[in-house]
Amino acid sequence: MRRARLLRTVAVATALLLGQALITPTAAEATTVPPAAPTVTAISAPYTIGVAGKFTFAEPAGSPVPAAFVYQLNSGAPTQVTAGKRQVTASIVLTRFTNTLAVWAVEPDGTFTDTTTMFVNAAYPPPFADQDLTGDGKPDLLISGPATGLAQGLWLTAGKALRGGLHTPATNIASLTNWTAPDFDGTQVISGHFTGTSFNDVLVYYPTGNNAGMAVIAPSLDNGGPVDSIGGAVLPSGTMTDMNGDNPIAVANAYDSAGTGNAYPDLFAIVGNPSLGYTFDYYPNYNGTGAYYMANPTPLATPTVARTGTRGGSPRSSCPTGRRCCSGTRRPAPCTCGNRSPTTARRCTTPRTNWRRTGSRRRLRCS
């Protein structure tokens, strides 16, 4: 009995010693702090939406030197910043009035630290010029492919300051992850302050197809970057149908047509079908993104596109009786026929088929 009791005492003592050895850190381990969440500092406040601002990410002294820091802004994709030192500076473009910034460090062995979350406010910039999606103060051209001769996608061409020119080539600003190029097939796209902010947003309308009658309003930062459906507003099919159940065949920005001072623009649309006819509908906005619920229709004749002339010196499609017609390499005002002097010009009463080319400068005059 005494021998068994002694053996039990020795076994317990041995277990206690082994346990203490297992939980007692070595000298090297005692000097290392477990990976801590990084410290995030806003160093260039106040911030402006759409403008890059600076932040510092730092790991405390005594913690392992991180291989990288990773940050995620709002619901965007995580972005990695290479480190190799305890503190780095990152330039981040804030996209909202109130932003959520999450930051964590990546240790040399690939493990992640805890996450630091910061809420950052940013002010809206002054309103951007109408149809300016690149932030240079000039209107830009926005169009979808492929029916227009471009490839699939949403294409943006920056405008020039002189005579409405465009910088080429165009840039596909369809998101590569959430809103891919084929999603814009058959769509009509227009820009405007549809979210009621300083920026020109993008309204994508589907006049036909499986999504006929649906529209998506995608926010933009007017920096020429991709637009995405994340954070956008969806107007389901049927939102803008008329009493006959017809969806618009075309929509346009109506701006503040009613003069109410509303920050959200109104819409114009052509609605109808060949058998019942068409109406020109006005959709007032009810003070909200995508708040287009009721239309004010005006009857229309069958929609046609009339061509009354072109830029440059081409003649009009016809020569109306009693009106002067085009001549020369450019169309003067008033247009004249034959002799370019308005006082001696003959009046043109014949159709375009009687025009003929004269001289090396492609002048046109009536027969």
Side-chain angles (χ1 to χ4, degrees), residues 38-53:
T39 300
V40 181
T41 305
I43 61 174
S44 62
Y47 297 99
T48 301
I49 299 174
V51 179

Side-chain angles (χ1 to χ4, degrees), residues 25-90:
T26 64
E29 293 172 335
T31 59
T32 302
V33 178
T39 300
V40 181
T41 305
I43 61 174
S44 62
Y47 297 99
T48 301
I49 299 174
V51 179
K54 293 183 178 181
F55 297 82
T56 59
F57 309 150
E59 275 285 86
S63 62
V65 175
F69 291 93
V70 180
Y71 71 85
Q72 182 179 27
L73 181 66
N74 301 319
S75 57
T79 301
Q80 181 169 298
V81 180
T82 302
K85 52 185 178 180
R86 296 193 186 281
Q87 179 173 305
V88 298
T89 299

Side-chain angles (χ1 to χ4, degrees), residues 15 67 188:
Q188 181 193 355

Side-chain angles (χ1 to χ4, degrees), residues 70-79 93 95-96 99-102 104 177-178 228 230-231:
V70 180
Y71 71 85
Q72 182 179 27
L73 181 66
N74 301 319
S75 57
T79 301
V93 177
T95 59
R96 302 176 182 173
N99 300 266
T100 303
L101 179 62
W104 61 93
T177 53
N178 300 299
D228 206 329
I230 292 181

